[in-house]
Amino acid sequence: MRIEVTADVPTCQALRRVVFIDEQGVSEADEVDGLDGRAIHLLAWDGDCPVGTARLLVKGATGKIGRVCVLPEARGLGLGAALIGAALEVLRAQPGLAEAYLGSQSHATGFYEKLGFAVEGEEFLDAGIPHRHMRRAV
């Protein structure tokens, strides 16, 4: 498996469609937010097959990790953690960037806590799914 920064946004969007829209029932209006054009995209590969993605948005000293997804057939192999690790590496390379944050689905906060993120604030709904804000230094 390999993870790389990519300009292939349509492939990232196709993976997100499978996971968020088809599998989790997120509306297209919630998934397609118009921010892809200013984001850094990561693409995870298993051989020649794209199997996961993440999107990074940088604003000042903060980087937002979002749209993290792995296809069902590639889950359980550590790819989610590898995507977050790659995202943090990319963010560390951004001048002046000090912290990363994300909106974790509430059931996944333990996964992100193991990767150094801490929960902050109250639970909220995003696309009808319970989430928590999480933050860590890069």
Side-chain angles (χ1 to χ4, degrees):
M1 300 236 186
R2 73 183 189 282
I3 299 172
E4 58 195 19
V5 173
T6 185
D8 187 356
V9 177
T11 295
C12 296
Q13 291 170 332
L15 292 169
R16 290 171 12 203
R17 174 172 290 281
V18 168
V19 173
F20 297 127
I21 295 173
D22 298 343
E23 180 183 342
Q24 297 182 358
V26 172
S27 74
E28 187 159 347
D30 284 329
E31 162 53 25
V32 181
D33 62 4
L35 299 177
D36 284 338
R38 65 181 191 93
I40 300 166
H41 297 271
L42 298 177
L43 195 53
W45 296 86
D46 182 5
D48 293 335
C49 297
V51 294
T53 189
R55 181 178 84 173
L56 311 175
L57 295 166
V58 176
K59 184 175 182 180
T62 304
K64 181 180 182 186
I65 302 171
R67 302 301 200 267
V68 179
C69 68
V70 175
L71 293 179
E73 60 269 22
R75 292 181 190 153
L77 305 173
L79 193 52
L83 272 164
I84 298 302
L88 291 169
E89 284 183 35
V90 170
L91 292 175
R92 280 185 202 106
Q94 304 299 311
L97 200 134
E99 65 179 359
Y101 83 99
L102 52 83
S104 168
Q105 291 185 8
S106 293
H107 70 83
T109 56
F111 166 79
Y112 290 107
E113 285 174 330
K114 289 178 187 172
L115 299 174
F117 286 84
V119 171
E120 64 177 33
E122 299 297 317
E123 187 173 70
F124 63 96
L125 290 179
D126 186 2
I129 300 170
H131 281 69
R132 299 293 299 271
H133 286 296
M134 301 189 78
R135 190 175 302 271
R136 67 160 279 173
V138 294

